Amino acid sequence: MTELVATTPGLYPLPDWAKDELSDLKGHQKGDLIAGDEGPEIVDAYDRARAEVVDAQVDAGLDRVVEGQLRWDDMLAHPLTIHENVETGGIVRYYDNNNFYRDPQVRGELTPSGDVAAELEAVDADALQAVLPGPYSLADLATDEHYGDEADFLDAVADYLAGEIEAFPDHETLFLLEPSLVENPPDDDTNERASAAIDHVAEATDADVVAHTYWGAVPEKTYAHLMDADVDAIGFDFVTETEDALYNINEYGTKEQVALGLVDGGNTLVESPETIRDRVEWVDENTHTDFDRAYVTSNTELFYLPVNKFEDKLQALGDAAALAEVDA
């Protein structure tokens, strides 16, 4: 029997009260502050918002709890945009998702900052799940003005993320978010380097590592190379590209664990727990792999949802896992 683990890829919507409070704090411009420069009132507001989204996950019965990444105004680019050797450029749009962020321009050496580790240290919950952008996606979203070579830059980003992980508190799972493998896949010369970069980051933790891909299905060649990375699971977007995701699993195999993106992170329609369980069973019936563990999650971050819908989707995921325990 496959173990079902209810979780999410993180990056949650900021609670409405926190949006209002943070926008009113004197001198606060979201995302313009270097890590550690926030004043005590801003830190307190984020602390209270973090506690709220952690409690929401615990109350929903999720098996893994994320920090929520409420400070990540530039989404996956956040770990760079707050770095002292990175300048934030103009507004850009990532992945055609109708949200706009700033372009991180790397102008110096990428040394670990400890910023993400500090966020994780502030979480009061068991079964912690860390979340980071994958090295390929983070390099793809940034502009290199320092290293001067695409391969060297990807290696530097991987080294930087691995250094960040070394400061993390104990965690059960690490989700590396890699939508660029779908949206801007590596060329033939870069496929192997991208896989090696993910492998390098995964080596930095003893936790189970999930390379979660979304906004579609990973192209065949890229997927074949991704399978070479020593991660515990690959995540599939079964909302956007169901058949292509299924094809990759059945044609090229996958890891003994899997992450199933079955809940739509960008749609306010809330799936019922029974619908989620039916989707899990459909994947099980239509793949040739007996998984040791399936992370049941949304296909994308939940940032795009209104807070009430976000909370409803957390509850649906937790209830779906509870149904599985009853069925067992």
Side-chain angles (χ1 to χ4, degrees), residues 6 8 12 50-66 123-128 310-311 314-315 318-319:
T8 67
Y12 290 165
R50 179 188 299 114
E52 186 171 307
V53 299
V54 167
D55 287 346
Q57 295 170 81
V58 173
D59 291 345
L62 295 192
D63 299 296
R64 298 289 185 272
V65 173
V66 301
V123 175
D124 182 16
D126 297 327
L128 179 64
F310 147 72
E311 292 175 342
L314 293 185
Q315 191 65 57
D319 289 346

Side-chain angles (χ1 to χ4, degrees), residues 106-109 143-154 156:
V106 178
R107 300 186 184 276
E109 185 179 359
T143 300
D144 173 30
E145 301 287 353
H146 174 72
Y147 293 93
D149 176 83
E150 183 178 316
D152 289 345
F153 183 52
L154 179 58

Side-chain angles (χ1 to χ4, degrees), residues 84-151:
E84 62 181 0
N85 291 332
V86 177
E87 294 183 10
T88 50
I91 299 296
V92 294
R93 184 170 68 175
Y94 303 161
Y95 309 129
D96 196 29
N97 65 6
N98 292 323
N99 285 275
F100 294 85
Y101 316 96
R102 295 163 312 155
D103 171 30
Q105 301 175 358
V106 178
R107 300 186 184 276
E109 185 179 359
L110 290 176
T111 53
S113 68
D115 181 69
V116 179
E119 291 179 331
L120 293 173
E121 290 279 6
V123 175
D124 182 16
D126 297 327
L128 179 64
Q129 175 177 297
V131 174
L132 281 174
Y136 179 76
S137 292
L138 188 56
D140 177 49
L141 295 177
T143 300
D144 173 30
E145 301 287 353
H146 174 72
Y147 293 93
D149 176 83
E150 183 178 316

